Amino acid sequence: MPGFRDALKIYEVKKPSAAEKSPVIEGIALVEKRGRLHVTSSVIGAPVFLNGVDTNLKTPAEIVLAEGAYEVGVTVNGEMIVKKVNMSDEGFLPLKF
């Protein structure tokens, strides 16, 4: 399934009871593909934005993100600086402004 980690597991599927129409498989957990972004700036306490939205975090900050492309912004001395990043599964991305 896109956006989730692959997992190989063996499950025992029991024959459904008369009340059940199809087999029930319990214990399946999907794990989203995620990575960590560590944002720092020349000014400690600068507001951090993600895709144009204020995260309510200040530098230095660490954000756990789903795999994908993002625009990360920081306001330093009244100026918004934006960088594009691509987060990979289980990745760690340091980003300095």
Side-chain angles (χ1 to χ4, degrees), residues 41-57:
S41 64
S42 58
V43 177
I44 293 175
V48 179
F49 293 79
L50 186 63
N51 293 335
V53 178
D54 190 345
T55 63
N56 293 318
L57 297 173

Side-chain angles (χ1 to χ4, degrees), residues 5 32-36 64-67 87-91:
R5 293 188 183 132
E32 188 175 19
K33 293 180 179 181
R34 294 177 168 233
R36 293 182 302 132
V64 176
L65 297 171
E67 185 177 63
M87 182 55 59
S88 61
D89 185 33
E90 297 184 351

Side-chain angles (χ1 to χ4, degrees), residues 75-91:
T75 302
V76 177
N77 298 325
E79 180 183 346
M80 173 68 80
I81 304 167
V82 177
K83 294 183 179 181
K84 294 182 179 186
V85 298
N86 286 305
M87 182 55 59
S88 61
D89 185 33
E90 297 184 351

Side-chain angles (χ1 to χ4, degrees), residues 3-68:
F4 293 89
R5 293 188 183 132
D6 293 335
L8 300 175
K9 294 186 179 186
I10 298 173
Y11 292 93
E12 181 181 344
V13 180
K14 297 180 181 179
K15 185 176 179 180
S17 67
E20 299 170 325
K21 293 184 180 185
S22 62
V24 176
I25 302 173
E26 296 181 8
I28 296 177
L30 298 177
V31 179
E32 188 175 19
K33 293 180 179 181
R34 294 177 168 233
R36 293 182 302 132
L37 177 67
H38 185 73
V39 183
T40 59
S41 64
S42 58
V43 177
I44 293 175
V48 179
F49 293 79
L50 186 63
N51 293 335
V53 178
D54 190 345
T55 63
N56 293 318
L57 297 173
K58 310 285 185 212
T59 59
E62 190 158 304
I63 307 169
V64 176
L65 297 171
E67 185 177 63

